[in-house]
Amino acid sequence: MNSNKRLRLRKTGMILLCSAVLLSMAACSPENTGTRQTVEKSGQKITVIDNTSESVYTKLKLEGIDKIEGVRGTDFAGEDTIVVDKENRNLSPQTVEGQDRYPHNLYLRTLSSGNETPLQEGEKNYGAAQLSPDKKQLFYKELYDATGLGFIMNLATGVSVKVSDAEFRSEEGSWADNEHVIYPDMEGTIVKADVNGKQETVLKTGVPYVHEVVQTGGRILYVTGEDSQLSAYDTETKQTKVLKKMCCGLFRHRTAAGWRLSNG
């Protein structure tokens, strides 16, 4: 083998050796580990880091589901207590369309024992119960099909006061804070009432059908019209602002923090 061939082989060997060293260094670089990788995209270096922390959801475990027959739970009064609406079969039924129907009354049910304490019993139907955020007051309705009269009960005394002089839709009304409930009447006026039964007109919208009224801080949100227009009324400035028109409507669901509006 002549000297030129030996020189070319030596150069090739050095290049291969350097390449191997560079690859080894890149593999051991702190920028490229099992949980960390740096990639270059569009002239910028992006570091991707795996989350090695254990998710809290891996510690959750479903212990079981208890099915309670013949009651409708409306709100949690505590970790082991809920407000329920159920038929009062100790009273005489009414015959409606050929069927016996018992009045629906309200009870406080302890989940662990199944014991129930009456909250509101009687010949009339009571339901749509919601506890105040501090769990001291109960907002409920005396129901007449799709409408009802609103009441607030002091749970410590068991005394109820009327918060509506006229019927309003049974699905409407919610707590604005620990001391007040807010609801729309059948003429589209938004009304607020306190735990003593004192009523206050908050806003005359001028629209016959107002629904999904909720208060969050200093804003009152409500929906009107066939296009489900969402508006916000500022209680400080007394100004109303249209937020959005939803062609598919808005739906309300309850969370631990209160009522939420979501798109339908």
Side-chain angles (χ1 to χ4, degrees):
M1 183 179 295
N2 58 37
S3 60
N4 289 335
K5 287 183 178 181
R6 286 197 297 271
L7 182 60
R8 284 198 298 271
L9 288 173
R10 188 178 297 111
K11 288 182 177 180
T12 302
M14 290 296 294
I15 292 171
L16 292 174
L17 178 61
C18 290
S19 298
V21 171
L22 289 173
L23 288 173
S24 176
M25 291 175 64
C28 298
S29 170
E31 290 188 338
N32 293 276
T33 66
T35 60
R36 183 186 185 98
Q37 183 179 8
T38 300
V39 296
E40 188 169 344
K41 188 174 182 179
S42 301
Q44 293 183 336
K45 285 188 176 183
I46 302 173
T47 301
V48 181
I49 302 175
D50 291 339
N51 184 5
T52 58
S53 300
E54 184 180 6
S55 172
V56 295
Y57 298 107
T58 61
K59 299 178 181 179
L60 296 179
K61 180 181 178 182
L62 178 64
E63 294 183 354
I65 298 175
D66 296 325
K67 187 175 181 180
I68 306 173
E69 299 286 352
V71 303
R72 181 188 293 116
T74 64
D75 206 349
F76 272 93
E79 291 290 332
D80 191 40
T81 314
I82 60 173
V83 178
V84 299
D85 156 2
K86 60 176 275 189
E87 290 182 337
N88 187 344
R89 290 185 168 262
N90 293 323
L91 300 176
S92 300
Q94 293 181 348
T95 302
V96 181
E97 297 179 353
Q99 293 184 337
D100 287 345
R101 295 187 180 180
Y102 293 88
H104 278 251
N105 291 172
L106 296 171
Y107 301 85
L108 205 57
R109 183 185 180 97
T110 302
L111 296 174
S112 57
S113 65
N115 294 332
E116 291 177 346
T117 303
L119 287 172
Q120 185 64 40
E121 289 185 312
E123 298 287 345
K124 296 179 180 180
N125 287 310
Y126 300 102
Q130 302 173 38
L131 285 164
S132 59
D134 61 6
K135 308 297 183 184
K136 294 180 179 180
Q137 310 282 341
L138 181 71
F139 175 45
Y140 67 96
K141 300 183 188 77
E142 185 180 294
L143 298 171
Y144 307 96
D145 294 327
T147 62
L149 292 172
F151 293 83
I152 292 179
M153 176 189 292
N154 183 316
L155 292 178
T157 64
V159 176
S160 296
V161 296
K162 185 187 291 187
V163 296
S164 64
D165 295 322
E167 297 175 31
F168 60 96
R169 282 173 289 275
S170 59
E171 73 275 11
E172 296 299 333
S174 62
W175 285 96
D177 51 45
N178 288 326
E179 302 291 326
H180 299 85
V181 294
I182 190 166
Y183 62 90
D185 67 14
M186 302 297 284
E187 284 72 45
T189 298
I190 297 176
V191 180
K192 185 182 285 188
D194 66 17
V195 293
N196 297 313
K198 182 181 178 181
Q199 301 166 38
E200 169 194 357
T201 297
V202 177
L203 177 64
K204 292 185 177 181
T205 65
V207 182
Y209 181 37
V210 177
H211 52 110
E212 314 297 342
V213 177
V214 294
Q215 181 166 353
T216 170
R219 292 203 308 172
I220 296 173
L221 304 175
Y222 62 95
V223 180
T224 57
E226 294 181 357
D227 57 356
S228 295
Q229 177 176 288
L230 175 63
S231 299
Y233 173 72
D234 190 309
T235 58
E236 294 292 331
T237 65
K238 310 299 181 185
Q239 298 296 313
T240 300
K241 181 180 179 181
V242 176
L243 300 181
K244 200 168 187 181
K245 293 185 178 181
M246 309 300 299
C247 62
C248 300
L250 287 167
F251 294 90
R252 185 173 60 170
H253 56 93
R254 193 179 180 96
T255 70
W259 290 103
R260 304 280 183 177
L261 292 175
S262 59
N263 296 342

